Each structure stands twice: as structure tokens, then as C-alpha cells.
Amino acid sequence: MNEALQEIHDFLPCRTPSRWIENALANQDLMLIDHAHCEKKAASTALSLMYRYVDNTDLLKKMSRLAREELRHFEQVLAIMNKRGVAYTHLTPARYAAGLREAVRKDDPGRLVDVLIVGAIIEARSCERFAALAPHLDEKLAEFYNSLLKSEARHYQDYLKLAVQANSGPVDERVAEFMAIEQRLIEEPDSEFRFHSGPLAKSS
């Protein structure tokens, strides 16, 4: 797993700021609620790709498996929340995913390539954050977050391979464009804590 994590660190433009780790530890209930939302959204994204690209066999197979795994993770997060007395409530989404999707091209095949690149980046960042958080969490939650690393790392790879396939060639230049956006979203201060937010802005 260390090798897969190193690959993710090499792929992403920056590490999660230590201040975000502090924010997460101070807002663990909120972190779990938003984590549940993220797993549900990830499953929804995979299903929407399956509906839109019905003739792409590789995509159908990979997204079907991914959707099942993300829904399983959603159930697992809900179970943890239930044991801890944390209610699953509606949250406004982080600016993160929307900020990445703003740069997605409108027409295919560019649209599909970009959506898959965004999916890869989100999965990689999730994996990086699970690994960064785990050493600071209680034993049960740390064990759960460590258990997610393998599947999240594979999801990022699946998305990236499908992007190369959809582009009929390398996607490095396009990835670099999205990475510049991602780094800004991860490092710039945010007004609300979310699993994919930047560090909270310090109150004056």
C-alpha cells in the first residue's frame, strides 16, 4: 500500500495542509457527515457515466464496480455515525468538486476525458486525506480509513486509464491544467470545513 500511496503523492500537486488536519480533528462529526455525502456522490457520478456512455464496455465494468464499492463505503460511514450518535444531515457541498468541474469541456470526447480526470483527482485526494488523517484518529476510525486506501487508490487508477482510453492517448497536459486548479482549492482558505475543503480561514 505504501507504493500506491507514494504514487498518489507523486500524482497530486500538493499535500493536505496541516491546518486542514487540525480542522478535521476539531470537526469529526462534520467530517463523517460530509464523508458520507462524498461516498454517495461518487456512486452517483459512476452511475451517471454508465447511463451516458452505454457503448463503452470498459467504462461500464469499472464504473459498475466503483459504484457498488462507494455505496458500501457510504453504508459503512453511516454505521459508524450511528454508533457515535451522529445524525446524517444535509450539507452544502464544498467548492472543491464544483471548482474542478468548471473547467470541464462541454462536448465529447473532451467532456468525457475531463470528467474522468476530475474523478481521478478526487479519488486520489480522498486517498491522500484518509492516509493523512488515520494516524491522528481513534483506533476504530483509523482502521476504517486505512481500509479505504486500497480501493480509493484503484479508483483513481481506473479513472485515469479510462481518460487515456477516451483521449486515444496521453492526458498529461490536461491533467496539469486541472492540477493547478486543484492545488488552489486545497491550499486556499475556506469559509466552511468539508472533507475536500481548504483549511479554514483564521478568524480575526
Side-chain angles (χ1 to χ4, degrees), residues 4 9 19-20 22 39 44 61-62 64 67 79 88 94 109 112 122 156 162 177 181 187 195:
H9 285 152
R19 182 160 175 77
W20 181 89
E22 293 167 15
E39 298 291 0
S44 174
K61 284 195 286 195
K62 285 191 167 82
S64 176
Y88 182 54
L112 176 58
I122 293 173
Y156 127 76
L162 288 169
E177 289 176 39
I181 299 167
E187 292 184 336
F195 192 82

Side-chain angles (χ1 to χ4, degrees), residues 12 15 18 33 41 60 79 95 100-101 128 142 160 167 175 178 183 204:
L12 291 169
R15 298 285 186 98
S18 58
I33 296 166
K41 280 180 214 155
L60 292 175
R95 63 193 174 118
L100 287 169
R101 289 191 183 116
E128 187 263 351
L160 215 50
N167 197 50
V175 167
F178 278 101
Q183 183 165 5
S204 53

Side-chain angles (χ1 to χ4, degrees), residues 50 56-68 158 162:
M50 290 174 69
N56 188 326
T57 307
D58 284 349
L59 181 144
L60 292 175
K61 284 195 286 195
K62 285 191 167 82
M63 291 300 107
S64 176
R65 180 181 180 183
L66 189 146
R68 288 198 307 274
D158 284 347
L162 288 169

Side-chain angles (χ1 to χ4, degrees), residues 36-203:
H37 281 291
C38 289
E39 298 291 0
K40 191 170 67 171
K41 280 180 214 155
S44 174
T45 297
L47 288 170
S48 70
L49 285 167
M50 290 174 69
Y51 276 107
R52 188 175 179 110
Y53 302 100
V54 294
D55 56 345
N56 188 326
T57 307
D58 284 349
L59 181 144
L60 292 175
K61 284 195 286 195
K62 285 191 167 82
M63 291 300 107
S64 176
R65 180 181 180 183
L66 189 146
R68 288 198 307 274
E69 289 180 339
E70 302 290 23
L71 285 174
R72 177 67 186 133
H73 297 162
F74 172 69
E75 292 164 8
Q76 289 173 306
V77 180
L78 285 188
I80 289 169
M81 287 166 56
N82 189 46
K83 280 185 181 173
R84 294 172 185 232
V86 179
Y88 182 54
T89 55
H90 177 75
L91 288 179
T92 54
R95 63 193 174 118
Y96 180 79
L100 287 169
R101 289 191 183 116
E102 276 176 14
V104 169
R105 288 169 283 184
K106 298 292 185 278
D107 300 312
D108 282 317
R111 181 187 184 278
L112 176 58
V113 172
D114 289 354
V115 168
L116 292 167
I117 289 171
V118 168
I121 293 170
I122 293 173
E123 294 289 339
R125 180 58 68 186
S126 297
C127 189
E128 187 263 351
R129 291 207 153 169
F130 291 140
L133 282 165
H136 307 285
L137 299 170
D138 62 80
E139 189 179 348
K140 287 284 186 192
L141 199 51
E143 184 182 345
F144 174 56
Y145 274 15
N146 278 322
S147 77
L148 296 177
L149 294 178
K150 191 174 181 181
S151 59
E152 300 297 330
R154 192 185 65 256
H155 294 170
Y156 127 76
Q157 291 165 344
D158 284 347
Y159 270 122
L160 215 50
K161 285 172 191 167
L162 288 169
V164 171
Q165 185 187 79
N167 197 50
S168 302
V171 291
D172 299 2
E173 286 184 17
R174 199 68 188 136
V175 167
E177 289 176 39
F178 278 101
M179 285 303 189
I181 299 167
E182 205 263 355
Q183 183 165 5
R184 178 172 51 78
L185 292 166
I186 287 299
E187 292 184 336
E188 283 184 1
D190 248 314
S191 58
E192 292 181 305
F193 172 80
R194 294 290 184 269
F195 192 82
H196 289 104
S197 67
L200 287 177
K202 292 182 180 179
S203 52

